[in-house]
Amino acid sequence: GEDNPLIATGTQGVLLRSVDDGATWDHINMGIGHFYDSLAIVDSLNDTTWVLDTTLYITQSAITFYGGFAPTADLIYILGDSLDSDEEFYVFRSTDGGDSGSWDMLVLETPAKFYELHFFDDDNGIMIGEGGEIYSVEIAESTITRSLIRVLGTGGALREIEFIDANNGWVIGTGGTVAKTVDAGANWDLVDIDVTGDINDIAFYNADEGWLVGDDVSRGSGAIKITEDGGETWNFRSYGLGVDLNGIHFVSPDEGWLVGKSGRIAHTTDAGRMWIHQDANTSRSLQDIYFADADDGWAVGFSLNDPIDTTATILFTSNGGDTWEMIDSLSGYRLNKIEFSDDGDGWAVGNFGLILHSSDWHNSQESGVSVELFGLDVISSDVAFACGQGGTILKTTNGGVSWTQLTSGTEQSIMDIDMVDANIGYVCGSMGTVLKTTNGGNSWTSLELPAHSSSVFKSVAFIDAEIGWIAGMFGYILHTIDGGETWYRQKEGFSEETLNEISILDANHAWIVGNNSIVLELKR
């Protein structure tokens, strides 16, 4: 309740209370355990040893506390267990808001552990714990009576109870267990939320809006899911937590897609506030994604059994990602980048100088190089640029019939390229490499960066010839508003994760994705 104290519990008897909304916390001494001023111990030789301040039974420091519930500001119940006893479990009760020395210790004769409870009034409630068991509980003076209501799911542990009102409530637990009651816990129905791992917490804002968090084992990541209809349907609020994200593309200020390792594809229609998983039925590593419009899109990557045994992979959708079709291209290759012109001509680039054209995804165009290509920028159906290892920058002016190697002036790997128009463009790469051209790539000038900026820059993107960003390892984001003459670092210390790609839609809408599911949105 709003006037109830806040209680925090933990191992080794840690029991904290706040009566000022968490501004300050006091340690609570429960006053449990029976002490003797002195105790005589007689050994087998009839020698007597006197021990002072001896504990007869369990003390607070030996307790591991779990969940609890406060029906009123004064009445508090907390669950706990002791390593000293395998056959007892405890319910601790305070009748004066947790003041020191005011706690009763009620004993349950059971080896089972219970993790959470909820009370409907001062003495009647429900309790959950190991084995997926839900019990009704009645407490009369110092006696606890419990009765099994139901065993949920596969019998894994139940971790949390959340009641929205007197009748509607939820329990969660291991193995994706989520169950709902509409009759104050008398009956429970399992809810399929499409998460296979442990559900760790659940919370509702009102009867309709709720969230849960857990470990999505089948997808190799964490998951946040949200409901807006009282739990009838659950959607991913965020997807792929803990998974590296490699590519992102938006077709409007609201709608975009991102891709990453283990076949991750996610879609947003609200500018990235909610990302919904799209199932491509693959566990391959996806490196980049591009959508020509809200329906037609492509993603590229590779299978990865070992560094040699790979298959260049292209995924295609014509319905906004509701379904994806896989195109296996060349064996032994990886694909890192894909992009299309406004006229519908597309290229994809990868290792060993691989360049594929959308007219035939199964046959490579002659690139003239054998290095790995990381970056790609398509200007038109005729003109495109690619870049890669060893300072490689390639250009075609005839739709890929031939590619010309340009002189970059560096041997550092070039990871990305962004041509503002046919003449002005920028590249970035390892050891803080940032280059600029004003003549269509015929010559490149090295740009000076702030001190200590020798990062590996993975992505470069410009709004126009003057305003742009580069991003890369260790969370580096550098910004310029004068065509690269000066740069300053943004969000220093915000993250040390590697940032992999920048997607700019216009002056007010841009995003960055990176390792460990980093998604950043530009705020102007």
Side-chain angles (χ1 to χ4, degrees), residues 244-484:
D244 295 347
L245 301 175
N246 299 318
I248 186 169
H249 186 77
F250 275 75
V251 296
S252 72
D254 293 323
E255 188 165 19
W257 292 258
L258 56 78
V259 295
K261 287 185 176 180
S262 302
R264 296 295 183 265
I265 303 179
H267 176 219
T268 182
T269 57
D270 59 4
R273 285 181 291 274
M274 180 184 296
W275 290 94
I276 306 301
H277 170 63
Q278 293 186 334
D279 192 354
N281 294 312
T282 182
S283 60
R284 298 183 181 186
S285 181
L286 300 179
Q287 300 296 105
D288 195 28
I289 192 164
Y290 183 90
F291 270 75
D293 51 43
D295 294 318
D296 297 322
W298 297 261
V300 295
F302 49 89
S303 65
L304 184 55
N305 297 320
D306 58 55
I308 297 176
D309 182 14
T310 63
T311 301
T313 299
I314 301 172
L315 301 176
F316 171 70
T317 181
S318 59
N319 53 20
D322 290 341
T323 58
W324 290 86
E325 175 186 352
M326 181 179 293
I327 303 171
D328 275 342
S329 186
L330 302 180
S331 178
Y333 288 88
R334 300 188 295 268
L335 288 174
N336 297 318
K337 207 77 169 179
I338 188 167
E339 190 171 320
F340 279 71
S341 70
D342 293 339
D343 297 327
D345 286 283
W347 282 268
V349 299
N351 62 335
F352 301 127
L354 178 64
I355 300 179
L356 302 178
H357 188 265
S358 56
S359 60
D360 184 359
W361 291 121
H362 295 92
N363 288 288
S364 176
Q365 293 184 337
E366 181 58 50
S367 67
V369 298
S370 59
V371 300
E372 183 148 12
L373 300 175
F374 301 111
L376 174 68
D377 195 15
V378 177
I379 307 301
S380 67
S381 293
D382 295 321
V383 181
F385 292 79
C387 60
Q389 289 176 324
T392 299
I393 304 177
L394 304 176
K395 180 181 180 179
T396 182
T397 58
N398 54 17
V401 174
S402 62
W403 289 83
T404 301
Q405 187 167 355
L406 306 176
T407 301
S408 67
T410 182
E411 293 183 356
Q412 298 296 331
S413 291
I414 298 177
M415 307 301 296
D416 196 22
I417 181 169
D418 186 31
M419 298 297 297
V420 178
D421 53 39
N423 294 310
I424 299 175
Y426 301 82
V427 299
C428 67
S430 59
M431 295 300 294
T433 299
V434 181
L435 310 177
K436 178 180 180 179
T437 183
T438 58
N439 54 18
N442 292 329
S443 62
W444 295 85
T445 302
S446 179
L447 300 180
E448 184 176 351
L449 302 181
H452 311 295
S453 296
S454 296
S455 178
V456 175
F457 291 111
K458 304 289 291 292
S459 185
V460 57
F462 273 72
I463 293 172
D464 52 36
E466 303 296 319
I467 302 174
W469 289 264
I470 53 178
M473 293 181 65
F474 310 116
Y476 268 88
I477 305 174
L478 297 182
H479 181 45
T480 182
I481 58 174
D482 57 9

Side-chain angles (χ1 to χ4, degrees), residues 496-511:
E496 294 185 357
E497 297 290 347
T498 296
L499 304 177
N500 292 319
E501 184 165 31
I502 307 169
S503 175
I504 293 182
L505 189 65
D506 55 44
N508 297 310
H509 301 93
W511 299 263

Side-chain angles (χ1 to χ4, degrees), residues 23-35:
T24 60
W25 293 84
D26 297 318
H27 178 74
I28 296 177
N29 179 5
M30 303 181 81
I32 61 173
H34 185 76
F35 294 88

